Amino acid sequence: MKQVAVTAEPISTAMALDPLEHLGGGALASFTGIARADCGVVALELEHYPGMTEQNLNALVDEAMARWTLLGCVVIHRVGKIAVGEQVVVVATAAHHRAEALDACAFLIDRLKTDAAFWKKEHRTDGSALWVEAKSTDDARAEKWSL
Amino acid sequence: MKQVAVTAEPISTAMALDPLEHLGGGALASFTGIARADCGVVALELEHYPGMTEQNLNALVDEAMARWTLLGCVVIHRVGKIAVGEQVVVVATAAHHRAEALDACAFLIDRLKTDAAFWKKEHRTDGSALWVEAKSTDDARAEKWSL
Amino acid sequence: MRFVYFARVREAVGMDCEERDVPVTVHTVQDCLDWLRQCDGRYAAAFAEPARLRYALDQQMVTADTPLDGYGELAIFPPVTGG
Amino acid sequence: MRFVYFARVREAVGMDCEERDVPVTVHTVQDCLDWLRQCDGRYAAAFAEPARLRYALDQQMVTADTPLDGYGELAIFPPVTGG
């Protein structure tokens, strides 16, 4: 079971976990990214490349399912304006055993950060807005998963 | 924020994630253990050592909060008779950044398996019931977290 | 001393817990096990495989050579299998 | 050729996308960047730091030395920052 979605509507961890709960697996893992109020940030704006982004996410899910024995993977990413405290991304995995579910979940969010066509802008209390720069720590974490 | 609970009532991932969602962190991670229908298992029976079990879980949460910068940890473990498909344990963590939330979540479930006073019995379709033996793979995974 | 048993050990002993006066010759957890084994065949069966036993004194995990001094409750159980 | 721009590059160029006939002297992604830079100062500003640019041809990530042959859409954008 796999599901990938890019949506401008609010998302929730439950949207990713619910379809995985009754696949017969003994282990579910989830990761949820939330817009943080760093340094006066009041909202994020997420842009994506329609078509390519979904391909990127599907490729990541396929890679996870090839590397680990999984019963299911769900990746849901929100786009558009996202207020602080709202969810930006949810990743969830189901497996028979916990190692697979936990590792695949970490892999999916680490690699999504470097491999999927999304761009993030931070809107601040003073009215300014700045594109977020890619982080070398994200590259390092994604690199850990190379075979 | 920390919360540890041992309960005979049904549990859900949401019970662990909900109190962590609005702490201002950018990252939530969760792990959910579900009773699996392995080899004719129809239900699990979870026994615990009241008082000691809660101490074990609190000690694990304290260790996680000392090792990683976390905004919150929740561990909820069900006891008593648990039907196949129902949730046995839920662990959730909140942090500013994803590495902390993901690592602490994996640490908590790995160490819970070897350090918390729970015992699991499998009830099968043929009416038989067998205590589950401790697994050396669980010891190995818990060992990975020693400093 | 209060003795508490869990899981397979509880079922083999046939009870959750019991209060017993411990003889003066019994100093450690190991001495307790040896003494109980001689009291009744059920203990001998329950404690047959020491490699598959764990112990707690007043809810703290201990090894078999730990003295009982000052403790009120000895728990005997198999390795844990939660989660 | 259809050109699409995202994020900081889109804002600097001043549009999401455009259709342009590419001169016969333009063979690779790099040639495209050089040609566009000469067309208008907005492109020169948008493409000022090649280390902070990424490219996709028909939605597949490519390097700057990739030939355009057979592709219909070139996307130019900064390194991704989702999640």
Side-chain angles (χ1 to χ4, degrees):
Chain A
M1 181 274 170
K2 56 180 232 181
Q3 189 193 316
V4 155
V6 177
T7 171
E9 301 298 314
I11 63 172
S12 71
T13 316
M15 287 170 62
L17 281 169
D18 289 352
L20 299 175
E21 212 174 327
H22 300 289
L23 300 178
L28 301 181
S30 79
F31 176 82
T32 307
I34 297 174
R36 260 177 311 146
D38 281 2
C39 315
V41 171
V42 288
L44 299 179
E45 194 175 336
L46 265 288
E47 185 169 330
H48 79 300
Y49 187 172
M52 181 165 168
T53 311
E54 290 81 353
Q55 276 184 53
N56 299 150
L57 298 179
N58 274 301
L60 284 178
V61 165
D62 289 343
E63 190 176 340
M65 296 188 91
R67 282 177 76 156
W68 291 279
T69 304
L70 300 173
L71 293 163
C73 279
V74 178
V75 177
I76 305 172
H77 203 297
R78 189 168 168 195
V79 291
K81 202 88 169 264
I82 303 175
V84 157
E86 291 187 326
Q87 302 191 355
V88 179
V89 61
V90 185
V91 170
T93 55
H96 285 299
H97 302 287
R98 77 184 181 289
E100 285 78 4
L102 290 166
D103 289 353
C105 182
F107 164 87
L108 285 167
I109 187 62
D110 282 346
R111 288 282 301 274
L112 182 152
K113 294 254 175 187
T114 58
D115 289 20
F118 293 103
W119 298 272
K120 192 184 283 159
K121 193 178 201 170
E122 292 178 345
H123 290 267
R124 291 163 195 271
T125 42
D126 62 7
S128 67
L130 256 177
W131 289 102
V132 173
E133 294 292 325
K135 296 195 206 82
S136 60
T137 50
D138 283 340
D139 291 338
R141 251 188 99 89
E143 192 61 34
K144 275 197 327 172
W145 296 107
S146 38
L147 291 173
Chain B
M1 182 276 172
K2 54 181 235 180
Q3 187 193 316
V4 154
V6 177
T7 171
E9 301 299 315
I11 64 173
S12 71
T13 315
M15 288 169 64
L17 282 169
D18 288 352
L20 298 175
E21 211 173 327
H22 299 291
L23 300 178
L28 301 182
S30 79
F31 175 83
T32 307
I34 297 175
R36 259 178 310 148
D38 282 1
C39 315
V41 170
V42 288
L44 299 179
E45 195 175 334
L46 264 290
E47 184 169 330
H48 79 299
Y49 186 173
M52 181 166 167
T53 310
E54 290 82 352
Q55 274 184 53
N56 299 150
L57 297 179
N58 274 301
L60 284 179
V61 165
D62 289 344
E63 190 177 340
M65 296 187 91
R67 281 177 78 157
W68 291 279
T69 303
L70 300 173
L71 294 163
C73 280
V74 178
V75 178
I76 305 173
H77 203 298
R78 188 168 169 195
V79 291
K81 201 88 169 261
I82 304 175
V84 157
E86 292 187 326
Q87 302 191 354
V88 179
V89 61
V90 184
V91 171
T93 55
H96 285 297
H97 302 287
R98 76 183 181 289
E100 286 77 5
L102 290 165
D103 289 353
C105 182
F107 164 87
L108 284 168
I109 187 62
D110 283 345
R111 288 281 301 274
L112 182 152
K113 295 254 175 187
T114 58
D115 289 22
F118 292 103
W119 298 272
K120 192 183 283 162
K121 194 178 203 172
E122 293 179 344
H123 290 268
R124 290 164 195 269
T125 41
D126 62 5
S128 68
L130 255 177
W131 290 101
V132 173
E133 294 292 325
K135 295 195 207 83
S136 60
T137 50
D138 283 340
D139 290 339
R141 250 187 101 87
E143 191 62 33
K144 277 198 326 174
W145 295 107
S146 40
L147 292 172
Chain C
M1 186 124 218
R2 178 179 158 85
F3 292 82
V4 297
Y5 309 110
F6 291 101
R8 181 174 45 73
V9 174
R10 174 178 55 73
E11 291 183 344
V13 169
M15 60 189 135
D16 294 23
C17 62
E18 58 183 324
E19 292 281 343
R20 277 176 174 263
D21 290 327
V22 176
V24 288
T25 52
V26 167
H27 301 292
T28 66
V29 171
Q30 185 61 56
D31 294 343
C32 259
L33 296 176
D34 295 339
W35 165 61
L36 287 168
R37 275 191 191 100
Q38 290 178 333
C39 291
D40 192 304
R42 287 178 307 167
Y43 298 103
F47 307 156
E49 293 179 78
R52 292 168 69 200
L53 292 178
R54 297 292 180 273
Y55 320 101
L57 280 168
D58 289 357
Q59 306 194 349
Q60 298 296 319
M61 293 295 293
V62 295
T63 51
D65 58 357
T66 309
L68 306 175
D69 312 330
Y71 290 107
E73 181 172 285
L74 172 60
I76 306 173
F77 46 78
V80 302
T81 56
Chain D
M1 185 123 215
R2 180 179 158 85
F3 292 83
V4 298
Y5 310 109
F6 291 102
R8 183 174 43 73
V9 174
R10 174 178 55 74
E11 291 183 345
V13 170
M15 58 191 134
D16 295 22
C17 62
E18 58 183 323
E19 292 282 345
R20 276 178 176 259
D21 290 326
V22 177
V24 288
T25 51
V26 166
H27 301 291
T28 66
V29 171
Q30 185 62 54
D31 294 342
C32 259
L33 296 176
D34 295 338
W35 165 60
L36 288 167
R37 275 191 192 101
Q38 291 179 331
C39 290
D40 192 306
R42 289 178 306 169
Y43 298 102
F47 308 156
E49 294 179 77
R52 292 168 68 201
L53 292 179
R54 298 291 181 273
Y55 321 101
L57 280 168
D58 290 356
Q59 308 195 348
Q60 297 295 320
M61 295 292 295
V62 295
T63 51
D65 57 357
T66 308
L68 306 176
D69 310 332
Y71 291 108
E73 182 173 284
L74 171 60
I76 306 173
F77 45 78
V80 302
T81 56

